Amino acid sequence: MARWYIIHAYSGFENKVKEAILAEAERIGLSQLVEEVEVPSETVTEVKRGKKVQVERKTMPGYVLAKLALNDDVYHLVKNTPKVTGFLGVNGKPQPISEAEAARYFGAAEAAAAAPRKQVNIDYEIGDSVKVLDGPFASFNGIVEELDFDKSKVKVSVSIFGRATPVELDFEQVELSK
């Protein structure tokens, strides 16, 4: 019976490890024992140079999840894969995780995508002059430095005692200066 295992890999090489395990299993005829190999990741929206960009981000950097019918051959296949440091477990012995736990690693991205997000339309962008509407900095004016669409936050540089100070606020807490 196949169970989920967590494989520790060099950070940044998770996808290469996934491909190498699948290719080697196919080559030596163990593909029926290696059911699935996944790199837990999520798609996030980042703002780069004022533009929204979809980026694939790993939720567990340095780890790969694999559904394996573990025997000596499969163990050695994974252990001898380049850029793999070993299995997660106690005393070097691979420790399986439950289906529910594995689903949690993959389900987190799906749950976040399914959760309704409130849409906020903003009429300012990086470099614009804005006025803070509420909070401890209400009525202060500042310049937009960063926009974080995932968290609905804006970083504004306000002048406090003649010194520029970055302040993180919600999108709704600021408006474009007139």
Side-chain angles (χ1 to χ4, degrees), residues 140 158-165:
F140 276 75
V158 294
S159 179
I160 301 173
F161 302 119
R163 183 174 290 202
T165 305

mmCIF file of all heavy atoms in Angstrom, residues 140 158-165:
data_model
loop_
_atom_site.group_PDB
_atom_site.id
_atom_site.type_symbol
_atom_site.label_atom_id
_atom_site.label_comp_id
_atom_site.label_asym_id
_atom_site.label_seq_id
_atom_site.Cartn_x
_atom_site.Cartn_y
_atom_site.Cartn_z
ATOM 1 N N PHE A 140 -2.161 62.535 7.806
ATOM 2 C CA PHE A 140 -0.792 62.644 7.307
ATOM 3 C C PHE A 140 -0.808 62.421 5.795
ATOM 4 O O PHE A 140 -1.631 61.679 5.271
ATOM 5 C CB PHE A 140 0.109 61.569 7.927
ATOM 6 C CG PHE A 140 0.661 61.920 9.277
ATOM 7 C CD1 PHE A 140 -0.139 61.870 10.403
ATOM 8 C CD2 PHE A 140 1.989 62.295 9.425
ATOM 9 C CE1 PHE A 140 0.368 62.176 11.643
ATOM 10 C CE2 PHE A 140 2.505 62.602 10.670
ATOM 11 C CZ PHE A 140 1.691 62.549 11.790
ATOM 12 N N VAL A 158 5.612 58.392 5.252
ATOM 13 C CA VAL A 158 5.071 59.648 5.778
ATOM 14 C C VAL A 158 6.187 60.406 6.487
ATOM 15 O O VAL A 158 7.143 59.808 6.985
ATOM 16 C CB VAL A 158 3.882 59.413 6.756
ATOM 17 C CG1 VAL A 158 2.707 58.820 6.033
ATOM 18 C CG2 VAL A 158 4.285 58.552 7.924
ATOM 19 N N SER A 159 6.060 61.719 6.560
ATOM 20 C CA SER A 159 7.067 62.551 7.204
ATOM 21 C C SER A 159 6.655 62.788 8.659
ATOM 22 O O SER A 159 5.637 63.425 8.931
ATOM 23 C CB SER A 159 7.202 63.883 6.466
ATOM 24 O OG SER A 159 8.163 64.683 7.112
ATOM 25 N N ILE A 160 7.451 62.219 9.588
ATOM 26 C CA ILE A 160 7.193 62.398 11.020
ATOM 27 C C ILE A 160 8.397 63.123 11.608
ATOM 28 O O ILE A 160 9.521 62.634 11.535
ATOM 29 C CB ILE A 160 6.978 61.038 11.721
ATOM 30 C CG1 ILE A 160 5.793 60.304 11.091
ATOM 31 C CG2 ILE A 160 6.764 61.226 13.217
ATOM 32 C CD1 ILE A 160 5.589 58.898 11.590
ATOM 33 N N PHE A 161 8.165 64.312 12.145
ATOM 34 C CA PHE A 161 9.227 65.166 12.682
ATOM 35 C C PHE A 161 10.326 65.401 11.655
ATOM 36 O O PHE A 161 11.515 65.363 11.962
ATOM 37 C CB PHE A 161 9.829 64.572 13.967
ATOM 38 C CG PHE A 161 8.819 64.364 15.056
ATOM 39 C CD1 PHE A 161 8.577 63.092 15.556
ATOM 40 C CD2 PHE A 161 8.100 65.432 15.574
ATOM 41 C CE1 PHE A 161 7.643 62.885 16.551
ATOM 42 C CE2 PHE A 161 7.161 65.231 16.574
ATOM 43 C CZ PHE A 161 6.930 63.958 17.066
ATOM 44 N N GLY A 162 9.921 65.593 10.403
ATOM 45 C CA GLY A 162 10.859 65.900 9.337
ATOM 46 C C GLY A 162 11.628 64.709 8.801
ATOM 47 O O GLY A 162 12.534 64.872 7.994
ATOM 48 N N ARG A 163 11.270 63.499 9.253
ATOM 49 C CA ARG A 163 11.983 62.295 8.806
ATOM 50 C C ARG A 163 10.994 61.349 8.121
ATOM 51 O O ARG A 163 9.917 61.089 8.649
ATOM 52 C CB ARG A 163 12.616 61.619 10.012
ATOM 53 C CG ARG A 163 13.428 60.406 9.659
ATOM 54 C CD ARG A 163 14.127 59.880 10.854
ATOM 55 N NE ARG A 163 15.195 60.823 11.234
ATOM 56 C CZ ARG A 163 16.227 60.503 11.953
ATOM 57 N NH1 ARG A 163 16.348 59.286 12.416
ATOM 58 N NH2 ARG A 163 17.143 61.388 12.241
ATOM 59 N N ALA A 164 11.369 60.830 6.943
ATOM 60 C CA ALA A 164 10.503 59.898 6.210
ATOM 61 C C ALA A 164 10.456 58.567 6.952
ATOM 62 O O ALA A 164 11.491 57.974 7.258
ATOM 63 C CB ALA A 164 11.016 59.695 4.796
ATOM 64 N N THR A 165 9.233 58.122 7.262
ATOM 65 C CA THR A 165 9.037 56.875 7.996
ATOM 66 C C THR A 165 8.064 55.988 7.231
ATOM 67 O O THR A 165 6.950 56.417 6.926
ATOM 68 C CB THR A 165 8.453 57.174 9.396
ATOM 69 O OG1 THR A 165 9.300 58.102 10.053
ATOM 70 C CG2 THR A 165 8.330 55.902 10.216
#
